[in-house]
Amino acid sequence: MNLSPVLKYEAFRQAMEGRKKLSIHNKAIMTVIDFSLASTEKRLVVLDLENKKVLFNTLVSHGKNSGENYATNFSNQQESLKSSLGFFMTENTYNGENGYSLVLNGLEEGINDNAKARYVVMHGADYCSTGTISSLGRLGKSYGCPAVPREYAGPIINTIKDGTLLFIYADNPDYLAKTHIIHQPNVLMAQFSRKQRLENADEG
């Protein structure tokens, strides 16, 4: 798929691991948001895995209290105004205060399962634009929603609605310590090495 120009390998690997483990209605389409990147970069990627195509690669805003140009703080709490990490399944669409919007169901308990109660949805926003970057040096910020450029909201939402996987990545140690979905090879290798050292010491 030649993803290296648009998506980090580790973000893709973790997303694919969740795709294998989770019960997702439509596994052909997958969205990855990489919050390890600056808001000035195109950190949302929509993939058609069946046809091996990149459908969208665009800007996406993070929560007001998650950081400035970079998102570094995340929360599952009501009124935190922060983004949440991890795996979500897309649900229905509706027209609300922010126009055409997509409901997101957080699939990880204690990490993002308050998303619906917090009204964390995907929607279009004027502050998610190259014009805002030009004036502020970064994107504008949401109340925790992954907001996309207004002109892409309809096409993206219509592509990923109704049961596709959305994964928000950030190379975040706190998330990796809490999630039960992502395999952590470095941690497991360290545990194995320690066990092996202890066994060798016992034999000696």
Side-chain angles (χ1 to χ4, degrees):
M1 292 178 69
N2 191 31
L3 293 179
S4 55
V6 298
L7 186 61
K8 290 179 182 176
Y9 170 76
E10 184 59 16
F12 178 73
R13 185 195 73 78
Q14 291 185 20
M16 289 297 287
E17 189 167 346
R19 177 178 177 268
K20 290 176 184 177
K21 292 180 179 179
L22 294 164
S23 179
I24 301 296
H25 176 66
N26 177 2
K27 290 194 172 186
I29 303 296
M30 183 174 73
T31 305
V32 183
I33 294 172
D34 185 355
F35 276 158
S36 71
L37 300 175
S39 72
T40 51
E41 298 186 60
K42 294 180 178 181
R43 47 191 187 170
L44 180 146
V45 182
V46 179
L47 304 172
D48 179 344
L49 296 171
E50 276 192 356
N51 296 303
K52 298 183 179 179
K53 291 181 179 180
V54 176
L55 301 179
F56 299 96
N57 180 30
T58 190
L59 302 167
V60 60
S61 293
H62 57 255
K64 181 178 180 180
N65 290 337
S66 280
E68 294 301 312
N69 193 24
Y70 286 88
T72 55
N73 296 293
F74 306 95
S75 178
N76 190 39
Q77 299 302 311
Q78 296 273 17
E79 300 180 5
S80 66
L81 306 186
K82 295 181 181 181
S83 298
S84 297
L85 298 177
F87 292 93
F88 302 77
M89 186 165 68
T90 65
E91 294 192 350
N92 57 292
T93 63
Y94 68 96
N95 283 289
E97 290 182 6
N98 293 300
Y100 193 46
S101 303
L102 175 65
V103 175
L104 302 176
N105 182 20
L107 302 178
E108 299 196 66
E109 185 176 354
I111 295 174
N112 60 25
D113 59 334
N114 282 331
K116 288 170 80 171
R118 294 177 59 205
Y119 299 100
V120 172
V121 301
M122 180 176 284
H123 61 80
D126 294 332
Y127 56 73
C128 185
S129 65
T130 54
T132 303
I133 292 173
S134 297
S135 59
L136 297 180
R138 59 165 173 79
L139 285 186
K141 294 180 286 185
S142 69
Y143 283 1
C145 298
V148 297
R150 186 77 70 183
E151 65 270 26
Y152 288 116
I156 290 175
I157 288 172
N158 284 334
T159 300
I160 71 172
K161 66 182 180 179
D162 298 332
T164 71
L165 187 68
L166 184 148
F167 176 57
I168 302 182
Y169 169 84
D171 190 22
N172 181 271
D174 290 338
Y175 169 72
L176 290 175
K178 291 176 182 177
T179 183
H180 297 292
I181 298 174
I182 301 300
H183 172 70
Q184 300 173 58
N186 293 338
V187 173
L188 292 176
M189 282 300 293
Q191 290 172 346
F192 175 77
S193 298
R194 182 175 182 275
K195 181 181 178 183
Q196 196 170 46
R197 288 198 305 272
L198 290 172
E199 287 175 351
N200 291 340
D202 289 341
E203 289 173 3

